Amino acid sequence: MKRTLALLSLAVSFACPAWSADWPNRNINLTVPYGAGGTTDLTARSIASGMSKVLGATINVVNTPGAGGSAGSLNVQNAKLDGYSLLANGLLAFTTMPLNGYTEKTFRDWDIWIATYAPNGIIVPANSPYNTITDLINAIKAKPGQITAGTAGIGSGGHFGAEVIKAVAGADYKHITYQGGGPAVTATLSGEVDFCPQLLAEYKDLIISGKVKGLASLSESDIELAPGKVLPSILKSFPDAKKYLPMGEVTGIMIPKGLPEDILKKIDAAFESAVKEKEFLDFAAVRSFTVMPKGRAESQAFLETFAGRAAYILYDAGAVTVDPAKYGFKRP
Amino acid sequence: MTFQYLLDACLNVLSPANFLMLAAAVLAGLIMGMLPGLSATMAIALLTGLTYNVGDHQTAIIALLGVYVGAISGGCQSAILLNIPGTPASAATALDGFPMARQGNGGLAIFIATTASCLGTILSVIFVLTLTPLLTSFALKFASWEFFFLSIFGILICGTLTARGNALKGWISGICGLLTAQIGLDTVDTFARFSYGNVNMMSGIQLIPVMIGLFGFPEIVKAFKSGSEAKVLQLTSFNILKGFRIVRDNIVGVVRSAFIGVGVGIIPGVGEDVGGWLSYWAMKASGRNTDGFGKGDPRGIVAAETGNNACVGGAIIPVLSLAVPGSAPAAVLMAAFFMHNYRPGPLLMTESPEFLYNVAVYLVFASVLMWLIALGMARVTVRVLTVNKKLLMPVVFLLCVVGAYLINYNLFDVKVMFFFGLIGLAMSYMNVPAAPFILGVVLGSMADSNLRRALRLSDGSFLPLFERPISVAFLIVCVLMILSQTGLLAWLRGKVKRER
């Protein structure tokens, strides 16, 4: 039924070229499937304000939180495909959505523009005995299953980071889950957990001020947090980790496939300009996000490896029951 | 230097544009707070989006703080006038506020509530200005065991939250709420509990539809019961001096509630609603002649409203010092701060030291304005009491449905509201209080996930609980509460005496 509808709208779109020629002639809705003010929301708003300048149309950001971001994503997937409802989402949650059984469609059924990459950062409490990432990895090796990692829960950005640490150490950690990133960081500050592998952006200032110790980032290169304060890449100590990197959250905007090419070209142009806006770059710099704009084709290629890695981390942890192979996801 | 910052902030907020903005934001906050379903968290989230393109960041911050204070304070009016709390934060206010309104003292109740709200925020600001570093370290003393006992403590006070003095019914209601909170993906292992494969159930039962259902439905149905009082309430005018006198006579209670509110606000994850409940309980537990509680004792209102508003300052403290929000609205507020190029957290005092003082001054101005605007509004809103209930309730019913829908734009929440509405109706016929149920829903997942987390951290051992001073103190208080409420304490005392 949905496919018929999609085909029908596709046929309609080819039948009346004037329709796509004057796109956009009204406000565009950009759905963010999380609350206002969150990382995805801020990234989306920042891109939206740049894109609306080029498109000459207002882009309304609509927040529809619920079901770990799936509710809003499905809304856009089921909406009329006319180019007026776009989605902004973090791709860890987005690409693993079919594994939760929410939908049969994968990222391959969408046109995606990737904007930013936010790496995981490994931190330990200020009074922790571990001073380097090697100390921590050795401790996990020495006491498998006893070193605690505080994350925002199964399938969260932190969980993915912790799984990379597990793969590097070749031994398991003890997963302590919290209701969100904030409580996980608080637990690290108070020393309740041994380390925290959430996204670096969540505690950049805590590292700079010395309230926690930053051990490594899960990006491929070192990250300068503040002048003279560099967080080394895990590759410095463990070059073998290369195949799991870069690990972190990737955020972009997307729309189900099937729009006429001239509308997509307009989005291409608006997106390219938006990610070069000074305000957007400043926003990314404050948050320690890497701006890595990728067009439609490039995003698909990138996501093939990214999604496979994310999917199998979840599957191996028992967080999802649908085999990623069902959707042709490749094991890293 | 401090003085300079405070002066600058005052000048900032007193500029015509900013002052108007603050007044508008406070008014908007009050209205959203009053409407069931639109909570403080949503009000701030909505405004966060709206202020994205506001060029002057100070104006945006002023508006955000204004709407926060307004929304937390506005909920009391619907709680008092309709027995339907506008936000979960003022659920405790309904316990004594609504009976007062039924006795014709609605105006006085709103006056007391608003004055207490204003004082609560201002007192909490004093804490922000003076004790931020000290209180931050207090927040970090709270780990899984402490959170667990805090929530157990919260459930135990359910026994005393009932007007009719039947502790058992309070506990039953509280435990039902606790069980309701277990529905959905559990927060430790993400296991879907009691959700029968339904995606909506998996994301859990939202607090606000439950609250609207439990409180609102019985009121709506009662209005249409045959033989229900057709007469409309006569408003008795009240003396402002009398209102001030009540607040002044309870100034110890105000300060105590402010302490509790700030403390609850600082602790991450527990917010304004719990602040109101705990203050109410403390007021009742420490007062004399507490028989009137639940039947329209103004002390209950003073405590609940001071307590929930004091959370505002409390919740902002860890935002400013650690970038860890103390409550749900504060989490959205923190995101908004980031959006406006401020970086709350440990670097704040070196990067933009004026920000702390700005926030403090804006909060004080917001609460004073809130006091004025809310009292002005109350002149209109109390007239709700004079409207025939059979005409009023259909409108309230519509607001309840819309309010439940607006939370996530999801019809499922409306169904949840109806379901709990029927339960609320049954409970009201059986004289089981609804308030503990709400508290149970608020604290349920906190109790569950923190106990399991604590046990996972200790490999199943209960020993660490005795190694932590705060959790031992909580444990002792909890045991004493169980003993006293079940009458065992009195029995033990008697036994000791007899043996002597």
Side-chain angles (χ1 to χ4, degrees), chain B residues 60-111:
Chain B
I61 303 284
I62 288 173
L64 287 160
L65 292 171
V67 94
Y68 189 1
V69 173
I72 294 293
S73 317
C76 74
Q77 300 210 3
S78 31
I80 290 170
L81 298 172
L82 299 171
N83 199 21
I84 304 171
T87 63
S90 44
T93 313
L95 294 186
D96 279 298
F98 184 60
M100 262 188 94
R102 269 211 301 217
Q103 292 152 18
N105 294 325
L108 181 65
I110 292 182
F111 178 85

Side-chain angles (χ1 to χ4, degrees), chain A residues 36-37 42 45-46 65 67 102 148 154 174-179 186 189-190 192 205-206 208-209 211 286-287, chain B residues 45 49 52 140 143-144 187-190 199 322 324 332 335 338-339 343 346-347 408 445 449 453 456-457 459:
Chain A
L42 292 184
R45 282 176 195 275
S46 197
Y102 293 137
T148 51
I154 290 174
K174 195 198 281 187
H175 194 187
I176 307 294
T177 52
Y178 290 85
Q179 269 160 301
T186 317
L189 277 164
S190 67
E192 190 175 52
D205 290 355
L206 293 175
I208 299 174
S209 65
K211 302 248 179 210
V286 168
R287 288 281 175 127
Chain B
Y52 184 77
L140 292 180
S144 299
T187 50
V188 175
D189 294 315
T190 329
V199 178
L322 292 174
V324 172
V332 189
F338 273 114
M339 198 168 86
R343 290 167 73 186
L347 301 181
N408 279 334
S445 84
S449 60
R453 188 177 302 130
R456 184 177 286 190
L457 278 162
D459 288 316

Side-chain angles (χ1 to χ4, degrees), chain A residues 177-240:
Chain A
T177 52
Y178 290 85
Q179 269 160 301
V185 176
T186 317
T188 316
L189 277 164
S190 67
E192 190 175 52
V193 291
D194 293 320
F195 74 102
C196 179
Q198 290 283 124
L199 298 185
L200 175 60
E202 294 175 48
Y203 32 64
K204 186 181 167 187
D205 290 355
L206 293 175
I207 303 178
I208 299 174
S209 65
K211 302 248 179 210
V212 296
K213 284 190 278 192
L215 300 187
S217 90
L218 299 188
S219 57
E220 285 167 308
S221 51
D222 300 351
I223 289 176
E224 189 172 33
L225 300 170
K229 190 114 189 170
V230 174
L231 186 66
S233 157
I234 192 170
L235 290 181
K236 275 248 170 82
S237 317
F238 298 93
D240 292 347

Side-chain angles (χ1 to χ4, degrees), chain B residues 143-378:
Chain B
S144 299
W145 282 115
E146 285 81 8
F147 278 115
F148 170 66
F149 277 111
L150 179 65
S151 43
I152 291 303
F153 179 70
I155 302 297
L156 286 175
I157 69 174
C158 286
T160 58
L161 283 179
T162 66
R164 296 145 199 106
N166 190 338
L168 194 61
K169 279 186 174 172
W171 281 336
I172 290 175
S173 175
I175 287 169
C176 286
L178 205 83
L179 294 176
T180 305
Q182 308 307 317
I183 296 172
L185 292 176
D186 91 286
T187 50
V188 175
D189 294 315
T190 329
F191 182 79
R193 295 195 285 208
F194 312 110
S195 47
Y196 310 101
N198 182 320
V199 178
N200 284 313
M201 299 270 277
M202 254 151 101
S203 44
I205 299 295
Q206 299 277 333
L207 169 66
I208 292 174
V210 175
M211 188 185 78
I212 299 176
L214 286 180
F215 279 90
F217 250 62
E219 291 308 319
I220 294 167
V221 173
K222 268 183 219 160
F224 290 96
K225 218 165 71 175
S226 60
S228 74
E229 39 189 319
K231 69 168 173 101
V232 289
L233 264 170
Q234 288 305 309
L235 286 184
T236 44
S237 62
F238 73 97
N239 190 337
I240 288 192
L241 278 178
K242 189 182 169 199
F244 273 124
R245 211 173 305 127
I246 290 177
V247 175
R248 194 199 56 201
D249 289 348
N250 290 299
I251 201 71
V252 179
V254 169
V255 174
R256 181 181 49 231
S257 305
F259 264 99
I260 294 174
V262 170
V264 169
I266 293 169
I267 299 167
V270 259
E272 286 78 4
D273 36 11
V274 179
W277 287 121
L278 286 188
S279 309
Y280 182 89
W281 167 80
M283 187 65 122
K284 194 175 174 183
S286 66
R288 290 198 194 98
N289 305 327
T290 54
D291 290 347
F293 272 86
K295 295 173 192 154
D297 192 319
R299 285 178 291 174
I301 303 178
V302 171
E305 281 299 312
T306 313
N308 68 29
N309 271 73
C311 276
V312 173
I316 287 178
I317 289 175
V319 168
L320 295 177
S321 56
L322 292 174
V324 172
S327 70
V332 189
L333 192 69
M334 182 173 97
F337 286 166
F338 273 114
M339 198 168 86
H340 289 289
N341 286 344
Y342 283 102
R343 290 167 73 186
L347 301 181
L348 187 76
M349 286 315 276
T350 46
E351 274 186 358
S352 32
E354 77 288 354
F355 191 66
L356 174 74
Y357 301 100
N358 287 351
V359 168
V361 169
Y362 300 162
L363 279 176
V364 170
F365 274 88
S367 42
V368 174
L369 261 181
M370 181 282 294
W371 189 75
L372 291 171
I373 297 176
L375 290 182
M377 282 170 82

Side-chain angles (χ1 to χ4, degrees), chain B residues 446-467:
Chain B
M446 192 168 123
D448 163 60
S449 60
N450 280 296
L451 175 62
R452 289 168 59 206
R453 188 177 302 130
L455 287 175
R456 184 177 286 190
L457 278 162
S458 66
D459 288 316
S461 159
F462 279 92
L463 210 59
L465 127 75
F466 299 102
E467 294 165 353

